[in-house]
């Protein structure tokens, strides 16, 4: 069995472990439902990508799950309708 000739110093050990850490994932928000998702991917919650419905998420669910999800989506739509639409002057400020 190979045996190390010298003990690794704290400095050497810590330098080696300098790059061992978890990276924060890059996340974007779905423009339709506002859930976090990986950029350039289909939203797994609402099935939308680039403003179009790609996958019918509700079709694959059971009746109970579907009712719950539809309720959630309706509430979300109400919230977005409550917010006043920005006129072009406010948009140009952003
Ligand atoms: Zn979504």
């Amino acid at each position: 069995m190979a045996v190390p000739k010298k003990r690794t110093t704290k400095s050497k050990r810590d330098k080696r472990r300098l790059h061992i850490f978890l990276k924060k994932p890059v996340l974007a928000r779905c423009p339709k439902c506002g859930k976090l998702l990986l950029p350039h991917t289909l939203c797994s919650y609402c099935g939308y990508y680039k403003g179009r419905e790609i996958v019918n998420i509700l079709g694959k669910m059971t009746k109970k799950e579907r009712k719950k999800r539809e309720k959630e989506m309706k509430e979300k739509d109400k919230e977005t309708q409550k917010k006043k639409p920005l006129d072009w002057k406010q948009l140009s400020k952003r």
Side-chain angles (χ1 to χ4, degrees):
M1 197 181 89
V3 177
K5 195 169 186 180
K6 282 176 186 157
R7 179 195 166 102
T8 313
T9 62
K10 287 178 203 169
S11 171
K12 272 275 181 187
R13 181 201 63 199
D14 292 349
K15 275 184 206 167
R16 184 177 65 237
R17 293 178 186 172
L18 175 70
H19 308 283
I20 304 171
F21 58 89
L22 294 172
K23 289 184 185 90
K24 252 188 183 176
V26 179
L27 293 172
R29 282 206 181 274
C30 172
K32 177 104 176 38
C33 65
K35 295 266 182 219
L36 290 170
L37 67 146
L38 292 171
H40 310 289
T41 54
L42 175 94
C43 177
S44 57
Y45 186 80
C46 62
Y48 272 68
Y49 182 67
K50 282 191 168 179
R52 289 190 298 136
E53 188 175 8
I54 309 293
V55 178
N56 186 9
I57 298 286
L58 298 174
K60 285 182 182 175
M61 294 176 157
T62 60
K63 208 173 179 183
K64 201 177 176 184
E65 283 176 329
R66 196 181 310 146
K67 274 198 170 178
K68 195 181 165 194
R69 184 63 68 88
E70 278 173 350
K71 205 178 172 185
E72 284 176 5
M73 283 180 165
K74 269 189 183 178
E75 281 176 21
K76 191 79 188 171
D77 281 347
K78 276 183 185 175
E79 280 178 28
T80 52
Q81 281 176 3
K82 275 182 188 175
K83 289 175 190 168
K84 288 174 191 172
L86 296 169
D87 57 42
W88 69 271
K89 276 187 180 176
Q90 283 172 314
L91 278 172
S92 63
K93 276 183 186 175
R94 289 195 168 183

